[in-house]
């Protein structure tokens, strides 16, 4: 009975909400990592008419979308890993990100150039990109080589906290690098879009919010609908005495006579092993606490206060209730990880 339900209608709804939030920005739907675990082909084909472009991490992911007849532009965030990747980008009308000197050399050597490239500028994340001071001259070289459109892009390391020192430093660097930039710009991710962070960003690159993910540390946006439900049902129940422990290592001990339900989902399915006792699980109308360590294929929950519990009663691990971000907090991780690593 354990399954993932994906509500494509919710993703389309979120895309429309986010387009309205983004105002006059172009909306790029980020569908890397199999659309954050939601299925890149079904997601992209379902929302294609509601967005302006897609982004993936790897060229292989872009080829998969082209093979599925997705025709909107696709940006490859990691850029080409070799010269052949870049030639494939030209052939399939895929926009490469350029962040490294040898990618520029491959581009220079091509006879047929990509129509558009995105130039990654390292404004402080220190993961990918050129030095801000180099950006203008690289852009001019690319244009001299025959590339018509060069989009300036960078990524915020702490978009959830726009007033942090790190964000302010990045915005200052970005502002200096893109003053008088001839062409489009892109800085915003989900959090920067939802928080309307004031900075140059003609394009918004939106991933997590599209799937109903919320921004850490902020009031949830009630209009965004969670698209993924991880569901299961009760496999067995038992009554245990006060003082009995449950599961590996006996981590959870019953403070009273208790009823325990066992649910056939575990870390082998992608439910986090690190989930603490008390992590909420929905059963019928109730939210009940996880009780005991997560096993490979099973979890145990405390259903003492739920009245009659029958076998096969539906259980929700995350979805509308509890939200994936809540489960993630109880497991010391982020909802992004829970969504993307289901097996
Ligand atoms: C993944 C990614 C995004 C999307 O970020 P969200 O927080 O999911 O909106 C945007 N830009 C880059 C460069 C990324 O790697």
């Amino acid at each position: 009975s354990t399954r993932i339900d994906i509500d494509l209608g919710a993703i389309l709804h979120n895309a429309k909400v986010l387009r309205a939030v983004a105002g006059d920005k172009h909306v790029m739907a980020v569908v890397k990592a199999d659309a954050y675990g939601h299925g890149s082909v079904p997601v992209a084909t379902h929302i294609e008419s509601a967005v302006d472009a897609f982004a993936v991490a790897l060229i292989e992911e872009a080829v998969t979308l082209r093979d599925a007849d997705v025709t909107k532009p696709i940006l490859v965030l990691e850029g080409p890993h070799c010269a052949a990747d870049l030639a494939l980008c030209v052939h399939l009308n895929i926009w490469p990100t350029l962040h490294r000197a040898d990618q520029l050399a491959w581009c220079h050597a091509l006879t047929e150039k990509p129509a558009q490239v995105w130039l990654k500028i390292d404004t402080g994340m220190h993961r990918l990109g050129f030095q801000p001071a180099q950006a203008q001259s690289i852009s001019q070289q690319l244009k001299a080589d025959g590339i018509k459109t060069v989009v300036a892009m960078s990524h915020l390391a702490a978009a959830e906290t726009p007033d942090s020192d790190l964000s302010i430093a990045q915005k200052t660097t970005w502002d200096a690098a893109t003053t008088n930039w001839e062409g489009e710009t892109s800085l915003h991710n989900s959090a920067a879009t939802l928080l309307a962070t004031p900075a140059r960003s003609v394009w918004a690159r939106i991933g997590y919010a599209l799937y109903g993910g919320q921004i850490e540390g902020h009031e949830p946006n009630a209009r965004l609908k969670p698209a993924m439900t991880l569901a299961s049902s009760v496999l067995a129940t038992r009554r245990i005495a006060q003082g009995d422990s449950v599961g590996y290592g006996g981590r959870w001990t019953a403070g009273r006579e208790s009823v325990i339900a066992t649910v056939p989902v575990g870390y082998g399915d992608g439910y986090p092993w690190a989930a603490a006792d008390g992590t909420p699980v929905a059963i019928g109308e109730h939210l009940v606490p996880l009780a005991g360590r997560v096993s490979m294929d099973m979890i145990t929950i405390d259903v003492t206060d739920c009245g009659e519990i029958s076998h096969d009663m539906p259980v929700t691990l995350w979805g509308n209730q509890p939200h994936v971000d809540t489960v993630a907090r109880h497991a010391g991780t982020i909802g992004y990880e829970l969504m993307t690593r289901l097996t």
Side-chain angles (χ1 to χ4, degrees):
S1 61
T2 299
R3 63 185 191 278
I4 309 164
D5 291 326
I6 302 296
D7 182 352
L8 291 174
I11 301 176
L12 182 60
H13 164 88
N14 293 339
K16 290 174 180 169
V17 167
L18 290 158
R19 178 176 279 293
V21 169
D24 55 10
K25 289 184 176 57
H26 304 315
V27 172
M28 176 174 274
V30 182
V31 294
K32 66 193 182 198
D34 203 21
Y36 294 44
H38 295 67
S40 69
V41 167
V43 168
T45 48
H46 198 76
I47 67 169
E48 186 164 15
S49 63
V51 300
D52 300 305
F54 294 102
V56 292
L58 306 167
I59 187 119
E60 288 86 342
E61 297 173 309
V63 171
T64 299
L65 294 181
R66 285 284 178 261
D67 283 347
D69 296 326
V70 171
T71 57
K72 285 264 162 85
I74 306 171
L75 174 69
V76 175
L77 294 165
E78 288 181 14
H81 289 198
C82 59
D85 276 0
L86 191 61
L88 199 54
C89 286
V90 177
H91 181 61
L92 293 176
N93 189 27
I94 292 164
W95 296 341
T97 300
L98 303 179
H99 59 82
R100 210 173 76 185
D102 52 354
Q103 294 172 330
L104 300 177
W106 302 333
C107 208
H108 184 71
L110 281 177
T111 36
E112 206 189 329
K113 309 287 184 193
Q116 173 161 164
V117 302
W118 285 44
L119 191 67
K120 182 80 173 239
I121 303 170
D122 182 4
T123 54
M125 176 101 172
H126 300 327
R127 185 174 67 175
L128 293 180
F130 294 100
Q131 293 297 323
Q134 297 176 284
Q136 289 283 4
S137 71
I138 294 171
S139 173
Q140 275 152 21
Q141 282 167 30
L142 289 165
K143 285 182 177 164
D145 263 2
I147 293 165
K148 288 192 186 65
T149 307
V150 181
V151 179
M153 79 176 288
S154 192
H155 195 50
L156 291 166
E160 310 76 24
T161 52
D163 299 326
S164 61
D165 291 349
L166 180 54
S167 290
I168 289 168
Q170 276 198 278
K171 280 188 283 181
T172 305
T173 305
W174 171 248
D175 196 46
T178 55
T179 303
N180 305 320
W181 187 263
E182 283 177 30
E184 293 172 341
T185 50
S186 180
L187 182 69
H188 285 29
N189 62 353
S190 292
T193 304
L194 284 163
L195 298 175
T197 301
R200 222 169 263 127
S201 188
V202 172
W203 283 89
R205 309 183 306 266
I206 302 179
Y208 197 50
L210 198 57
Y211 310 102
Q214 300 286 351
I215 317 172
E216 201 190 321
H218 293 266
E219 260 312 287
N221 183 316
R223 287 186 297 161
L224 295 175
K225 296 183 185 171
M228 175 188 282
T229 302
L230 177 61
S232 188
S233 65
V234 173
L235 174 67
T237 58
R238 71 208 54 254
R239 190 169 288 278
I240 61 169
Q242 181 181 2
D244 283 355
S245 69
V246 174
Y248 285 114
R251 182 179 73 180
W252 188 85
T253 303
R256 55 177 174 169
E257 186 182 289
S258 301
V259 181
I260 297 296
T262 302
V263 182
V265 62
Y267 62 82
D269 305 297
Y271 190 84
W273 177 84
D277 289 333
T279 303
V281 174
I283 177 161
E285 301 298 298
H286 303 271
L287 269 187
V288 302
L290 183 76
R293 274 203 196 288
V294 174
S295 300
M296 190 180 289
D297 303 288
M298 288 178 269
I299 59 169
T300 37
I301 58 180
D302 176 4
V303 294
T304 312
D305 296 325
C306 297
E308 192 64 30
I309 296 290
S310 52
H311 296 160
D312 300 329
M313 236 171 118
V315 169
T316 302
L317 290 316
W318 61 73
N320 277 322
Q321 187 71 292
H323 196 280
V324 68
D325 290 324
T326 309
V327 178
R329 267 194 298 280
H330 282 84
T333 180
I334 52 175
Y336 291 71
E337 186 185 31
L338 297 188
M339 283 178 182
T340 51
R341 69 176 194 180
L342 291 173
T343 59

